Amino acid sequence: MAKREASGAKPDRAGGARGGAGSGAATPEGFGRPLERVVGKAAATKLERAFGMTTLGDLVWHLPRRYAKRGELTDLASLVPGEHVTVVARVRGVETRDLQRDAKGRPRTLTTITITDGESSLETAFFNQPWRTGELHQGVTALFSGTVGEYKGKRQLAHPTYEAFDEAEGVDAEQWAAKPVPIYPATASLTTMKIEALVAQALDALGDVPDPVPEEVRREHRLMPLVEALRLAHQPKAEQDAFRARHTLAWHEAFLLQTYLLATRDWFDTLPTAPRHAGALLERFDAALPWPLTDDQQSAGAAIAADLASGTAMHRLVQGEVGSGKTVVATRAMLAVAESGGQSALLAPTEVLAVQHLRSITRSLGPELAAELQPTLLTGQMPAADRKRALLAIAAGSARIVVGTHALLSERTTFAELALVVIDEQHRFGVAQREALRAKGLHPHTLVLTATPIPRTIAMTAFGDLDVSTIRTLPAGRSPIQTFVVDQVRQPAAFHRTWGRMSEELAAGRQAFVVCPAIEPGRLEGVDEPAADAPAVGPAPPPVADVVTTLANLRRSPALAGRVVAPLTGAMTTDDKDRTMRAFRDREIDVVVATTVIEVGVDVPNATMMVVLSADRFGVSQLHQLRGRVGRGEHAGLCVLVTGVDELSDARVRLDAVASTLDGFALAEVDLEQRGEGDVLGVAQSGGRSGLKVLRVARDGAIIEAARTAARDVLDADPTLVAHPALRLAVHARLDPDARAALVTA
């Protein structure tokens, strides 16, 4: 997209209430009305405690998670003890029996009402409430909510709340049976029925709210007005009503999000900054490279060079496969900035990665360029004297390339002329952290790197305010990696053979990694997956592997007798981690037993084998990243994913997917499909991008693309949205304070 002419408007740093993802605008009336005024103090307090709701908009955007039908009974056999459930069932039998009198001689009764789905049954129990049989008699269909428990080996609902479905007079039986019943995210104190009643109050109080989606956009894409869609989502008369309402609401969210992202992007295009042109430094660097740049590296480099020379701030994402050469692309950008005396700061999520980046950059620069540019490390755990020297070099401007962790964000860290901010693994950082570093310069260029390939719909949603460059081609010389899944429980011989295979690699002069999810029993580190699925049949999976136990076992293993095996975890000091990695790189250590601190950035070409224990505890992208630590030299890589979960579990499907391909972009789609955008996006959603209520990135790609096109058309015709006040107010409420400059000039 062409750079936009700077407006010269002063950024609006004033605070402002932020609306929810779909809340339109945070105004005193309409969506912004305090809940207490609508539903009363007691109910408002419960809603805030349970769901964080404070406004009428929060409540009306608390949409049903599904819809039940009066004529469609719930599968009771699928209910799990301990879960809070809402089910539709029919009363099959009723029994009330007397119990022993209480201590004061008062009579006690137990009323058991058996409900059924036609095949399975469930008991509901009511103590001292025999009158319930007047409402719940045989043949009645009702909605029941409660926590599934067990009593004498039978599942039951104790004192559930319920709503009997009384067929209204004069209503067609088929229509009555087919009418959807909204089922809300609920709690024990706020049941779905109670929430339905509170939402009805909120809808009655809502009134006429201006729709942020322009009428011409609604007409072109056959969308309902916002308030009508909200009403039908909560109170559909037929299944089709709910479908149409949700389509409109998904469109609404997508359009507001894309308008916000594109307005932010337009704002970046107005920020003036000193043009940075490549020169002799880059020529010397390129001439010394031991291999030619790939076509993708050249393409990304050309786009970055054009951005740096444009005179307005770059905001670009470079995504690429593990080992595709993103660091080289970033280093070339740093050299272009350094040519005119500017400084570059690379922010890494871990100390291990920061140290690896510094060494990689220093090595690629060579002795002469490194002496001129003084690549400097800054981390929070550096010795005080080293940190003081680094801070002085950064402040004086002699360190023109700075690599660090969160220490770069400290108030004590000042730059002479920060011109380029490089963020590695963007998903590890929140918006506030990224902006804190950018604030240390005058509209510095921003280059974001990620080795986690991003599906197109995620890129449009989480990174829609960035230009995107993709590096798919791996540099020449990278060796293939074979990946196998080994079932530790059902294939004990294959698991035992894994260590023999590692012994063979070590005997050939190579090295290996062993990765565990935990540092010690019960202490997970850097794992992005929940607990593994319980086995459908057969034995339970083994305990989660940890570094402490695994280290002791491997040191006793006959297969690794005489080998040096050492730990590497985030709990170690910076010096200890650095010594371990240095010794491993110098081949003084044969096997490193590590957590995910080695997930990105670790480059040891002689390491050819990786064993991931309790691999089911890691996500698809994490496993792909970990696997990329081997096969980085002349010898082929081998990755063994060890698990004990059932073959039919979702976790095993993940592992088989990783073993089936080395294509990180294909695996990213698998990851998105399995885990959903909430987990895949991570903290990238923070700063106004979170809280999607209806829109699903994995499912709604077509809506996102169409909404982005529509948003671009609206902004092109009306850059400050002066002709679209409702949209302007809604987007303004979402924008980060500085980015509001794009909309305050009207």
Side-chain angles (χ1 to χ4, degrees):
M1 184 182 70
K3 295 283 184 178
R4 293 176 178 270
E5 185 176 340
S7 66
K10 182 179 179 180
D12 173 12
R13 293 182 177 273
R18 290 177 182 269
S23 60
T27 59
E29 296 304 316
F31 287 130
R33 189 183 306 176
L35 261 183
E36 185 175 333
R37 296 188 195 172
V38 180
V39 298
K41 185 173 183 178
T45 300
K46 287 184 178 181
L47 289 167
E48 182 174 12
R49 187 179 298 125
F51 304 108
M53 298 180 190
T54 58
T55 67
L56 185 150
D58 293 334
L59 180 52
V60 297
W61 276 93
H62 186 74
L63 300 170
R65 58 184 174 85
R66 65 183 177 89
Y67 299 90
K69 292 181 182 177
R70 293 166 172 81
E72 190 174 282
L73 305 182
T74 304
D75 178 11
L76 299 181
S78 65
L79 302 184
V80 177
E83 284 188 348
H84 184 82
V85 300
T86 299
V87 300
V88 179
R90 182 173 295 114
V91 176
R92 189 182 72 182
V94 178
E95 178 188 6
T96 298
R97 60 190 179 90
D98 294 329
L99 302 177
Q100 186 176 357
R101 291 177 177 265
D102 65 17
K104 295 184 178 181
R106 291 174 297 196
R108 297 169 62 238
T109 62
L110 170 62
T111 298
T112 302
I113 296 175
T114 304
I115 59 177
T116 182
D117 60 10
E119 295 184 7
S120 302
S121 60
L122 187 71
E123 290 185 349
T124 66
F126 298 92
F127 290 91
N128 299 324
Q129 298 178 31
W131 52 269
R132 296 287 184 186
T133 58
E135 296 176 339
L136 297 175
H137 51 80
Q138 188 172 358
V140 167
T141 301
L143 191 70
F144 297 88
S145 290
T147 300
V148 181
E150 287 186 299
Y151 180 69
K152 293 184 177 181
K154 293 183 178 180
R155 292 172 306 150
Q156 71 166 205
L157 293 177
H159 284 272
T161 59
Y162 61 88
E163 178 184 347
F165 296 147
D166 295 323
E167 185 173 347
E169 294 183 10
V171 176
D172 181 87
E174 290 187 9
Q175 290 181 354
W176 174 87
K179 185 178 180 181
V181 179
I183 307 297
Y184 291 89
T187 67
S189 61
L190 277 170
T191 65
T192 185
M193 289 84 86
K194 178 62 175 176
I195 292 173
E196 182 181 5
L198 293 172
V199 167
Q201 282 183 256
L203 290 172
D204 288 342
L206 187 57
D208 186 20
V209 177
D211 195 330
V213 180
E215 184 179 353
E216 63 271 20
V217 175
R218 295 201 310 269
R219 187 167 54 248
E220 179 181 354
H221 296 279
R222 299 180 180 180
L223 307 175
M224 290 183 280
L226 175 59
V227 173
E228 181 184 343
L230 284 169
R231 291 187 188 280
L232 277 183
H234 289 291
Q235 301 169 344
K237 297 178 180 178
E239 190 174 26
Q240 186 66 17
D241 290 341
F243 175 81
R244 289 176 55 238
R246 283 183 167 262
H247 176 75
T248 290
L249 296 177
W251 236 99
H252 174 93
E253 286 194 310
F255 181 78
L256 283 191
L257 179 59
Q258 292 304 323
T259 306
Y260 155 72
L261 291 170
L262 291 171
T264 302
R265 182 169 169 171
D266 291 350
W267 172 74
F268 274 111
D269 287 346
T270 69
L271 299 180
T273 192
R276 305 288 176 172
H277 299 281
L281 292 176
L282 182 57
E283 290 176 4
R284 290 162 58 191
F285 177 81
D286 285 348
L289 283 175
W291 59 81
L293 295 173
T294 66
D295 290 344
D296 286 347
Q297 286 176 316
Q298 291 183 27
S299 176
I304 291 169
D307 289 342
L308 294 176
S310 69
T312 56
M314 171 179 71
H315 209 54
R316 181 171 293 275
L317 168 72
V318 175
Q319 61 170 336
E321 284 282 12
V322 175
S324 61
K326 296 179 297 299
T327 304
V328 171
V329 170
T331 303
R332 296 180 78 248
M334 294 177 188
L335 289 166
V337 166
E339 189 73 37
S340 55
Q343 293 172 286
S344 300
L346 191 159
L347 178 62
T350 67
E351 291 179 81
V352 169
L353 183 52
V355 171
Q356 289 288 320
H357 272 311
L358 182 78
R359 288 185 176 144
S360 174
I361 291 170
T362 303
R363 186 170 58 248
S364 66
L365 289 174
E368 292 185 5
L369 281 175
E372 291 179 44
L373 303 178
Q374 292 189 33
T376 298
L377 179 70
L378 184 66
T379 70
Q381 295 189 31
M382 292 171 64
D386 292 345
R387 186 164 60 250
K388 185 176 181 180
R389 280 193 293 272
L391 289 170
L392 287 173
I394 296 168
S398 57
R400 282 191 270 175
I401 294 178
V402 182
V403 181
T405 56
H406 293 76
L408 292 176
L409 311 179
S410 168
E411 292 182 2
R412 296 182 58 196
T413 306
T414 59
F415 292 80
E417 188 181 348
L418 180 60
L420 172 63
V421 170
V422 181
I423 309 290
D424 193 29
E425 294 303 313
Q426 155 133 342
H427 64 281
R428 304 286 190 91
F429 299 100
V431 171
Q433 293 169 316
R434 299 193 294 271
E435 293 307 308
L437 183 53
R438 292 187 69 256
K440 294 180 180 293
L442 179 62
H443 305 157
H445 298 286
T446 302
L447 182 62
V448 175
L449 307 178
T450 180
T452 304
I454 303 168
R456 174 173 167 74
T457 50
I458 288 283
M460 286 191 298
T461 305
F463 306 108
D465 52 342
L466 283 73
D467 295 303
V468 179
S469 294
T470 301
I471 303 177
R472 288 180 176 269
T473 310
L474 296 181
R478 287 302 303 268
S479 301
I481 305 172
Q482 287 186 299
T483 306
F484 300 94
V485 180
V486 171
D487 191 323
Q488 182 178 355
V489 175
R490 298 161 187 83
Q491 299 173 300
F495 176 61
H496 181 72
R497 168 63 183 146
T498 298
W499 308 116
R501 183 68 182 84
M502 181 176 288
S503 178
E504 294 170 7
E505 288 293 308
L506 302 182
R510 266 91 78 178
Q511 294 160 279
F513 293 103
V514 177
V515 181
C516 305
I519 299 177
E520 56 192 27
R523 186 180 175 188
L524 296 176
E525 178 176 281
V527 177
D528 66 4
E529 274 303 308
D533 305 326
V537 293
V544 176
D546 67 271
V547 170
V548 172
T549 304
T550 301
L551 185 70
N553 290 341
L554 293 183
R555 285 175 171 171
R556 291 193 301 265
S557 170
L560 302 180
R563 299 297 180 182
V564 180
V565 186
L568 182 64
T569 73
M572 296 164 59
T573 66
T574 301
D575 288 344
D576 286 344
K577 284 184 285 191
D578 191 46
R579 274 193 293 269
T580 298
M581 283 308 304
R582 191 188 300 271
F584 190 54
R585 195 167 41 254
D586 293 342
R587 306 191 184 188
E588 297 170 7
I589 294 173
D590 299 298
V591 180
V592 163
V593 182
T595 56
T596 54
V597 292
I598 65 160
E599 182 180 342
V600 289
V602 173
D603 187 8
V604 181
N606 193 50
T608 56
M609 185 173 180
M610 173 177 287
V611 177
V612 184
L613 300 176
S614 299
D616 45 89
R617 289 301 182 112
F618 299 95
V620 170
S621 294
Q622 253 187 329
L623 291 171
H624 183 58
Q625 292 276 3
L626 288 167
R627 174 173 58 184
R629 301 308 107 206
V630 298
R632 302 177 73 87
E634 59 180 310
H635 303 290
L638 173 63
C639 180
V640 180
L641 307 177
V642 178
T643 183
V645 299
D646 187 81
E647 292 179 321
L648 301 178
S649 67
D650 288 343
R652 180 58 185 265
V653 171
R654 286 198 302 272
L655 301 185
D656 290 339
V658 174
S660 69
T661 182
L662 293 173
D663 185 343
F665 290 90
L667 290 175
E669 295 289 350
V670 172
D671 206 18
L672 175 60
E673 183 177 340
Q674 270 220 345
R675 296 196 294 148
E677 63 272 9
D679 291 327
V680 177
L681 287 174
V683 295
Q685 290 192 42
S686 63
R689 304 180 189 189
S690 60
L692 296 178
K693 304 292 186 182
V694 185
L695 190 69
R696 292 295 174 263
V697 177
R699 179 192 66 201
D700 296 328
I703 290 177
I704 292 168
E705 292 201 41
R708 188 171 182 83
T709 299
R712 182 71 275 163
D713 290 343
V714 169
L715 284 168
D716 284 345
D718 183 17
T720 59
L721 300 179
V722 66
H724 299 85
L727 176 59
R728 184 173 186 270
L729 189 59
V731 172
H732 190 277
R734 296 176 65 106
L735 287 173
D736 294 324
D738 284 349
R740 293 177 185 172
L743 295 178
V744 298
T745 57

